[in-house]
């Protein structure tokens, strides 16, 4: 089906051609200005190549807990950090954090993840599936993501014969 005949969907990520992206990457997935003037910026933090690989659920769950907790040590402008159902990455919803600042924030947070000695709130009292965590798997995935830092802003695969 060609792009011209594909109907526009309400969900932004459903309009993204997942066959053309090259993970890992970070992109602005949405931007909304609220009636009071504040701007919400949603980021697609993609760890894995869609439809080729995915994160194991224990790693996803642990990265979610670690990042949601540790990023708030660096900013009060994180609204939410949540996993994608496809297990290829996460969405970060921020209050007006522009991309350059978000990339620095993400890098600092992920460096904290590598130093963590436990997954925050990984217990039955504070989590709906407290036993479903793996700190080493989360740190391995985050380490690989950090190692590809220079690639984070390259979202789409370069087509043969086109300029970057």
């Amino acid at each position: 089906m060609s792009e011209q005949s594909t109907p526009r969907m309400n969900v932004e990520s459903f309009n993204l051609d997942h066959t053309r992206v090259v993970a890992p990457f970070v992109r602005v997935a949405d931007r909304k200005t609220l009636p009071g003037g504040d701007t919400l910026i949603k980021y697609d933090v993609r760890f894995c190549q869609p439809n080729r690989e995915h994160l194991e659920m224990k790693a996803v769950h642990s990265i979610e807990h670690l990042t949601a907790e540790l990023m708030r040590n660096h900013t009060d402008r994180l609204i939410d950090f949540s996993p994608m159902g496809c297990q290829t990455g996460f969405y970060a919803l921020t209050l007006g954090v522009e991309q350059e600042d978000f990339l620095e924030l993400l890098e600092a947070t992920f460096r904290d993840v590598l130093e963590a000695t436990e997954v925050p709130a990984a217990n039955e009292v504070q989590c709906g599936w407290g036993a479903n965590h793996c700190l080493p798997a989360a740190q391995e995935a985050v380490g690989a993501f950090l190692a590809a830092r220079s690639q984070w802003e390259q979202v789409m695969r370069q087509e043969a014969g086109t300029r970057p």
Side-chain angles (χ1 to χ4, degrees), residues 110-132:
F110 283 172
R111 292 199 184 287
D112 292 346
V113 168
L114 295 180
E115 299 296 319
T117 57
E118 65 181 5
V119 176
N123 59 70
E124 291 183 6
V125 173
Q126 296 173 292
C127 178
W129 195 6
N132 189 48

Side-chain angles (χ1 to χ4, degrees), residues 58-59 61-63 66 119 131-139:
K58 285 185 176 187
H61 196 187
S62 296
I63 293 167
L66 286 155
V119 176
N132 189 48
H133 289 278
C134 183
L135 179 60
Q139 290 174 322

Side-chain angles (χ1 to χ4, degrees), residues 12 26-31 41-44 98-99 155:
E12 184 277 338
V26 178
R27 72 181 183 94
V28 173
D30 199 7
R31 177 186 296 270
I41 305 173
K42 178 181 169 183
Y43 290 93
D44 174 340
E98 294 297 337
Q99 186 159 346
V155 176

Side-chain angles (χ1 to χ4, degrees), residues 55-71:
L55 296 167
E56 292 302 320
M57 199 56 220
K58 285 185 176 187
V60 169
H61 196 187
S62 296
I63 293 167
E64 174 200 11
H65 275 233
L66 286 155
T67 305
E69 180 65 19
L70 296 173
M71 191 175 282

